């Protein structure tokens, strides 16, 4: 997807100047963080677009923090009712930009765990915990944390050329950014191990077959399909969707009694919303419901 939709409402921090994106940007003029992670709201859908195509949208620490902020803002904003995460160029996200970090000899025990905990894991948690449905529109290669960023989204639409790569093993690394948590829950432990042990590129079609992708479309239809899905979600009962997302995400970590109790509590909370009352009234009156996200 080469362009993000035009903004009807800009991000609150869009006027602030920012540091350059990373080590590869330092030799040239300063590039604003807002241009490297674009944000626009259109028809109650927040569009977040990674825009560093020359680096296959590898994420720097500054970009990561902006993504976390944007997901947090989308979660809290009642005028945002769905989110689309996408990218420009040939790649969706090549993973974390590791350039510019301290040499291994300078690390102190605990440094790496702290960086992962406060960095990649916070980013994945921001997607999982967002109270609005999040669609990943994967335009190209998603590798490492980039793949996990897509898998953390609620729905994944992939362009036909997209590839997913658990690249960590190729670098002699353990998967991080929630990979060992997400993948077994999505496709089972044996399939997850196969992807993580070998690090082979997985085509969009194979990812759909395994259940990692909801839909594969031609590249030229990616934005259109993502927009259609997002606008359908934005017209839905927003709080009911948020509670449903929480129930499903938690379901594999709890026993049946806990899951059933959470389900009953969620429905109790949901029945106090205006959308639930509208939905019931529309059913009784035999008309289409008009949800307002309240």
């Amino acid at each position: 997807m080469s362009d993000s939709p035009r903004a009807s409402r800009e991000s609150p921090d869009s006027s602030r100047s920012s540091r350059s994106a990373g080590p590869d940007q330092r030799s040239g003029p300063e590039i604003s963080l807002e241009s490297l992670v674009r944000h626009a709201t259109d028809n109650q859908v927040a569009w977040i677009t990674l825009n560093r195509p020359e680096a296959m949208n590898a994420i720097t620490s500054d970009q990561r923090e902006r993504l976390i902020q944007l997901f947090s803002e989308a979660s809290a904003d009642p005028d945002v009712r769905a989110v689309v995460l996408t990218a420009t160029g040939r790649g969706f996200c090549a993973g974390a930009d590791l350039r510019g970090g301290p040499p291994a000899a300078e690390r102190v025990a605990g440094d790496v765990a702290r960086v992962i905990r406060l960095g990649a894991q916070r980013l994945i948690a921001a997607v999982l915990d967002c109270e609005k449905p999040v669609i990943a529109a994967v335009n190209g290669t998603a590798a490492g944390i980039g793949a996990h960023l897509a898998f953390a989204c609620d729905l994944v639409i992939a362009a036909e050329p997209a590839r997913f790569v658990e690249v960590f093993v190729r670098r002699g690394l353990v998967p991080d950014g929630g990979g060992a948590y997400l993948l077994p829950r999505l496709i089972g432990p044996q399939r997850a191990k196969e992807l993580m042990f070998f690090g082979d590129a997985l085509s969009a079609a194979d990812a759909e077959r395994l259940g990692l992708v909801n839909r594969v479309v031609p590249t030229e239809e990616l934005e259109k399909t993502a927009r259609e899905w997002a606008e359908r979600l934005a017209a839905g009962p927003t709080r009911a969707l948020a509670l449903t997302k929480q129930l499903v995400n938690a379901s594999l970590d709890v026993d049946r009694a806990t899951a059933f109790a959470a389900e009953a509590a969620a429905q109790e909370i949901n029945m106090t919303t205006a959308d639930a009352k509208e939905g019931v009234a529309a059913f009784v009156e035999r008309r289409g419901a008009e949800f307002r996200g309240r």
Side-chain angles (χ1 to χ4, degrees):
M1 187 176 297
S2 59
D3 297 300
S4 62
R6 290 173 295 181
S8 62
R9 181 163 54 85
E10 294 297 328
S11 171
D13 63 352
S14 61
S15 62
R16 292 206 300 264
S17 61
S18 311
R19 294 172 287 175
S20 63
D24 61 320
Q25 302 287 346
R26 291 174 186 166
S27 59
E30 185 171 284
I31 298 176
S32 72
L33 186 56
E34 289 75 15
S35 70
L36 296 171
V37 182
R38 297 177 184 169
H39 174 243
T41 301
D42 186 19
N43 289 336
Q44 296 188 299
V45 177
W47 289 77
I48 301 173
T49 306
L50 301 175
N51 184 39
R52 198 175 168 223
E54 73 284 354
M56 295 287 284
N57 294 305
I59 299 174
T60 66
S61 58
D62 283 353
Q63 289 173 287
R64 180 194 67 226
E65 292 306 310
R66 175 162 166 80
L67 285 168
I68 292 170
Q69 177 186 356
L70 290 174
F71 279 110
S72 177
E73 289 173 355
S75 190
D77 188 346
D79 292 326
V80 171
R81 297 172 64 185
V83 180
V84 176
L85 175 65
T86 190
T88 61
R90 296 182 300 108
F92 176 73
C93 177
D97 189 333
L98 301 178
R99 289 171 292 180
E106 298 179 13
R107 292 194 179 110
V108 175
D111 282 354
V112 173
R114 186 181 309 106
V115 167
I116 292 171
R117 186 175 65 251
L118 299 179
Q121 290 177 351
R122 281 180 58 239
L123 174 58
I124 298 304
V127 179
L128 292 170
D129 295 339
C130 182
E131 295 181 27
K132 309 300 165 60
V134 182
I135 297 172
V138 182
N139 53 300
T141 297
I145 187 68
H148 301 167
L149 190 57
F151 299 153
C153 294
D154 302 301
L155 300 170
V156 182
I157 305 170
E160 289 173 345
R163 297 291 183 270
F164 301 86
V165 191
E166 287 296 318
V167 74
F168 298 93
V169 70
R170 299 184 186 182
R171 311 289 182 257
L173 301 175
V174 172
D176 61 34
Y181 173 84
L182 292 168
L183 276 169
R185 285 165 170 75
L186 292 169
I187 59 175
Q190 289 182 314
R191 290 290 192 182
K193 289 172 187 175
E194 179 182 346
L195 295 180
M196 291 178 170
F197 286 1
F198 293 116
D200 294 333
L202 190 68
S203 70
D206 285 341
E208 182 182 31
R209 176 177 56 82
L210 289 177
L212 290 169
V213 166
N214 295 87
R215 186 75 54 85
V216 177
V217 298
T219 299
E220 61 272 18
E221 294 182 16
L222 182 63
E223 181 176 325
K224 175 178 177 287
T225 305
R227 182 183 296 278
E228 289 174 350
W229 283 29
E231 290 183 354
R232 283 184 64 188
L233 291 169
T238 307
R239 296 311 304 163
L241 291 176
L243 290 165
T244 301
K245 174 174 178 172
Q246 291 172 10
L247 288 173
V248 173
N249 285 352
S251 65
L252 295 177
D253 296 322
V254 299
D255 58 42
R256 185 182 68 183
T258 302
F260 277 20
E263 177 187 274
Q267 193 70 290
E268 177 77 23
I269 294 168
N270 187 65
M271 289 303 294
T272 67
T273 67
D275 279 348
K277 295 171 184 176
E278 163 63 9
V280 173
F283 174 77
V284 172
E285 297 166 15
R286 299 189 179 186
R287 59 175 174 81
E290 295 184 10
F291 298 120
R292 304 295 183 185
R294 300 295 195 273

